[in-house]
């Protein structure tokens, strides 16, 4: 290829300047642009003609000139002079562009010109800020950490030690530690110094983490630290240092000496508890059961250890599924919980158990097992159910008492109001009941009340409530579809059921009834008012019937 001419070389040079990614421009001593490349125009957001006519001040950020700060007036304009610096340029939109400039003073037509090549270092600056921020956070954490933190170079010379580490070494100063090898400053207080140095050397040779203990002998005490040393690599994967942390585990070590005796005490206590105690691992397999478990399930350790809740026990399939779900929930929440279960055993009986589940953690706070304590509450559940029934049911007839009646009415009023529906009460007073009591005694009267209660329950819907209001008075709460036709039919069914003869010890007893009616919301909007209106209606009905009987008697 033939040599290019000087004109061609100039053209190629200018083309190259236009194509490079750096900003290139030339200014004279009046800071007027003589030349500016396309990259500079694009980054700064100006047309070339705008910049050539406006001058360099338009892209400045307040610098009086491009010459080095603090120099003589002629500095920066001597032919052949060159320097580098960092500065900021201002784009059209006001964005500040940090750049690194390389300046060379050239001569043109006898005048000095500055040829400036500027490289956008915004990304580098942002990365530097992030790195500095991270280093600042690390330094803050390290300086305030209760753990001992030390950084060593690849030759195991200390480059940094935080206050906790210096305190560990009886208050040594930076001058006594930084730049020194570990052999020098670990000599006096560390009783297992050779082992510690060996482990640090192993981090370097194996390029892998090492964990070890540091035994420190100080005035009047012996302390133990758990140390962790990790290798540090640069971006090429070359080992450049070691980071070591150490935590005082002296209290933990003291606890270890107590754990064995406490474990024996725990074992003795648990083995003689009447409650069932079971420990499960992360896979929900039993790792321990006490003697009470074997008594309850008729098993041995060989039958149940290493198995899931449903294996080797008297739990049904549904019961074992429920227990496993609770154990998994406790592992997930890491919070102790209490639950009661009705668990049918394989012999058909139902037993009630209170289950306490307690997560157990290792020294790092990781849940490693569950301890469960079971105690049977069957008798308590039956007693509570009996007390609840006594509180809300009539002892003689077994139907709802006045307390439950008022609760059902109040609940029915809210439901009716929400559904824009009706609610009705039938207040029933038995006619002729006093005659039965006086002639045949209270035993016959009680039999009548039980029979009437059963008959009333048989003629109402499942959603209705039959209650004994007191003495020979009953109340029926009709909760749905309480139209006139429905109420008339209900009253007729009630009257017919009550008027049926009752056979008691070979004697036929006959009872009648007066039935009063109250409707929500016409007759009242609360339980008290509705009961009062129904009672008044019943007495009106009784008086009407007695009056009619007198006229035709």
């Amino acid at each position: 290829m033939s040599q290019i001419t000087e004109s061609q070389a100039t053209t190629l040079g200018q083309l190259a300047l236009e194509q490079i990614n750096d900003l290139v421009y030339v200014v004279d001593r009046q800071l007027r642009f003589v030349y500016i490349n396309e990259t500079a125009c694009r980054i700064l957001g100006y047309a070339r003609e705008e910049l050539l006519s406006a001058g360099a001040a338009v892209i400045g950020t307040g610098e009086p000139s491009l010459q080095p700060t603090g120099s003589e007036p002629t500095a920066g304009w001597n032919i052949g002079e060159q320097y580098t610096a960092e500065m900021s340029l201002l784009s059209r939109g006001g964005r500040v562009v940090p750049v690194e400039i390389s300046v060379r003073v050239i001569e043109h037509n006898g005048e000095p010109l500055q040829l400036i090549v500027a490289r956008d270092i915004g990304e580098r600056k942002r990365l530097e800020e992030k790195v500095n921020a991270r280093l600042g956070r690390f330094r803050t954490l390290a300086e305030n950490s209760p753990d001992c933190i030390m950084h060593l170079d690849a030759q195991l010379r200390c480059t940094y030690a935080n206050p906790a580490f210096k305190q560990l070494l009886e208050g040594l100063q930076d001058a006594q530690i930084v730049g020194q090898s570990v052999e020098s400053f670990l000599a006096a207080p560390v009783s297992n110094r050779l082992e510690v140095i060996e482990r640090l050397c192993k981090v370097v040779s194996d390029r892998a983490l090492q964990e070890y203990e540091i035994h420190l002998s100080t005035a009047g005490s012996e302390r133990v630290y758990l140390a962790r040393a990790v290798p540090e690599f640069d971006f090429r994967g070359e080992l450049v240092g070691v980071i070591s942390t150490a935590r005082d585990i002296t209290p933990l070590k003291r606890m270890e000496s107590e754990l064995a005796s406490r474990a024996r005490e725990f074992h003795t206590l648990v083995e003689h508890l009447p409650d069932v105690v079971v420990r499960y691992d992360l896979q929900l397999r039993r790792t321990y059961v006490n003697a009470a478990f074997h008594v309850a399930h008729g098993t041995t350790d060989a039958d149940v250890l290493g198995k899931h809740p449903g294996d080797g026990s008297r739990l049904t399939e549904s019961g074992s599924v429920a227990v496993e779900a609770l154990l998994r929930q406790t592992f997930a929440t890491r919070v102790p919980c209490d639950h009661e279960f009705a668990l049918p055993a394989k012999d058909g009986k139902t037993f009630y158990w209170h289950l306490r589940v307690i997560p157990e953690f290792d020294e790092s706070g990781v849940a490693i097992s569950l301890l469960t304590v079971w105690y049977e509450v069957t008798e308590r559940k039956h007693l509570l159910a009996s007390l609840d029934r006594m509180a809300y049911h009539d002892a003689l007839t077994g139907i709802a008492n006045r307390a439950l009646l008022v609760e059902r009415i109040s609940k029915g009023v809210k439901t009716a109001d929400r559904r824009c529906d009706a609610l009705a009460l039938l207040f029933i007073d038995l006619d002729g009941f006093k005659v039965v009591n006086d002639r045949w005694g209270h035993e016959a009267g009680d039999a009548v009340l039980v029979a009437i209660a059963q008959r009333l329950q048989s003629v109402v819907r499942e959603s209705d409530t039959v209650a004994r209001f007191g003495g020979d008075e009953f109340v029926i709460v009709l909760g749905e579809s309480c139209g006139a036709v429905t109420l008339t039919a209900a009253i007729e069914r009630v009257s017919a059921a009550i008027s049926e003869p009752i056979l008691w010890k070979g004697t036929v007893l006959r009872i009648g009834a007066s039935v009063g009616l109250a409707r929500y919301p016409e007759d009242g909007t609360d339980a008290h008012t509705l009961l009062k209106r129904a009672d008044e209606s019943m007495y009106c009905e009784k008086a009407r019937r007695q009056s009619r009987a007198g006229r035709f008697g």
Side-chain angles (χ1 to χ4, degrees), residues 39-80:
T39 301
C41 295
R42 175 172 49 79
I43 292 177
L44 297 174
Y46 289 95
R48 195 191 308 266
E49 293 74 12
E50 290 181 284
L51 292 175
L52 291 174
S53 61
V58 74
I59 65 169
T61 56
E63 292 90 349
S65 70
L66 294 174
Q67 65 185 32
T69 303
S71 62
E72 295 297 326
T74 58
W77 291 100
N78 298 318
I79 305 300

Side-chain angles (χ1 to χ4, degrees), residues 111 128 213 254 293 306 509 532:
E111 292 292 331
E128 287 176 354
E213 290 183 357
R254 290 171 182 165
F293 180 94
L509 306 176
K532 181 180 178 182

Side-chain angles (χ1 to χ4, degrees), residues 59-375:
I59 65 169
T61 56
E63 292 90 349
S65 70
L66 294 174
Q67 65 185 32
T69 303
S71 62
E72 295 297 326
T74 58
W77 291 100
N78 298 318
I79 305 300
E81 184 179 358
Q82 57 184 16
Y83 61 88
T84 60
E86 288 187 6
M87 63 179 296
S88 297
L89 302 179
L90 192 64
S91 70
R92 178 191 289 274
R95 181 174 65 92
V96 176
V97 182
V99 293
E100 182 180 69
I101 63 170
S102 176
V103 182
R104 183 178 181 85
V105 181
I106 61 175
E107 181 181 3
H108 181 69
N109 294 333
E111 292 292 331
L113 299 177
Q114 287 186 342
L115 171 62
I116 302 169
V117 178
R119 175 161 295 173
D120 188 346
I121 57 172
E123 184 62 27
R124 191 186 79 187
K125 286 289 186 181
R126 285 189 289 272
L127 290 175
E128 287 176 354
E129 289 174 359
K130 289 182 179 179
V131 170
N132 290 334
R134 289 177 181 175
L135 288 175
R137 288 194 295 269
F138 169 78
R139 178 59 64 98
T140 301
L141 288 172
E143 291 292 306
N144 293 280
S145 174
D147 293 340
C148 304
I149 301 174
M150 174 177 62
H151 181 267
L152 306 171
D153 63 18
Q155 287 72 44
L156 298 184
R157 292 186 299 256
C158 180
T159 61
Y160 171 77
N162 75 335
F165 186 87
K166 287 180 279 191
Q167 185 178 359
L168 178 148
L169 297 178
E170 300 181 322
L172 292 182
Q173 301 302 312
D174 280 342
Q176 299 169 284
I177 301 175
V178 176
Q180 305 297 316
S181 65
V182 290
E183 290 93 337
S184 62
F185 58 77
L186 292 183
V190 180
S191 57
N192 64 331
R193 167 177 167 271
L194 295 179
E195 179 191 352
V196 172
I197 294 173
E198 180 183 352
R199 289 301 190 100
L200 291 172
C201 291
K202 199 169 180 62
V203 174
V204 176
S205 61
D206 295 355
R207 301 163 64 91
L209 176 147
Q210 290 287 315
E211 287 188 351
Y212 50 93
E213 290 183 357
I214 300 176
H215 295 266
L216 194 67
S217 299
T218 59
S221 67
E222 297 284 333
R223 306 202 68 81
V224 181
Y225 288 78
L226 177 64
R228 182 184 179 94
V230 295
E232 180 188 18
F233 304 97
D234 63 12
F235 68 95
R236 296 184 299 272
E238 296 293 330
L239 187 140
V240 294
V242 175
I243 299 175
S244 173
T245 60
R247 175 168 294 179
D248 190 350
I249 60 169
T250 306
L252 182 62
K253 282 294 186 179
R254 290 171 182 165
M255 288 178 60
E256 286 179 355
S257 65
E258 300 175 7
L259 285 179
S261 60
R262 291 191 179 185
R264 288 191 297 271
E265 293 172 3
F266 170 80
H267 187 269
T268 301
L269 174 65
V270 171
E271 283 300 307
H272 292 84
L273 276 177
D275 300 332
V276 173
V277 179
V278 184
R279 176 177 280 121
Y280 295 93
D281 63 14
L282 291 171
Q283 287 73 43
L284 304 187
R285 296 174 301 204
R286 299 187 195 93
T287 59
Y288 170 80
V289 298
N290 70 340
F293 180 94
H294 294 314
V295 172
H297 296 276
T299 57
T300 64
D301 280 352
D303 298 326
V304 298
L305 292 183
K307 297 182 180 179
H308 291 92
D311 301 328
S313 72
R314 291 179 178 173
L315 291 176
T316 61
E317 182 179 355
S318 59
S320 63
V321 169
V323 171
E324 286 196 22
L326 181 60
L327 297 178
R328 294 185 193 282
Q329 173 189 327
T330 307
F331 263 130
T333 61
R334 298 163 52 91
V335 176
C337 62
D338 294 87
H339 281 272
E340 289 191 357
F341 285 95
L343 299 179
K346 292 180 180 178
D347 59 5
K349 296 181 180 179
T350 298
F351 293 90
Y352 294 91
W353 292 86
H354 182 98
L355 173 61
R356 173 76 169 171
V357 185
I358 307 161
E360 298 180 302
F361 306 94
D362 64 11
E363 63 274 8
S364 60
V366 177
I368 56 173
S369 59
L370 294 174
L371 187 68
T372 63
V373 181
W374 302 64
Y375 59 90

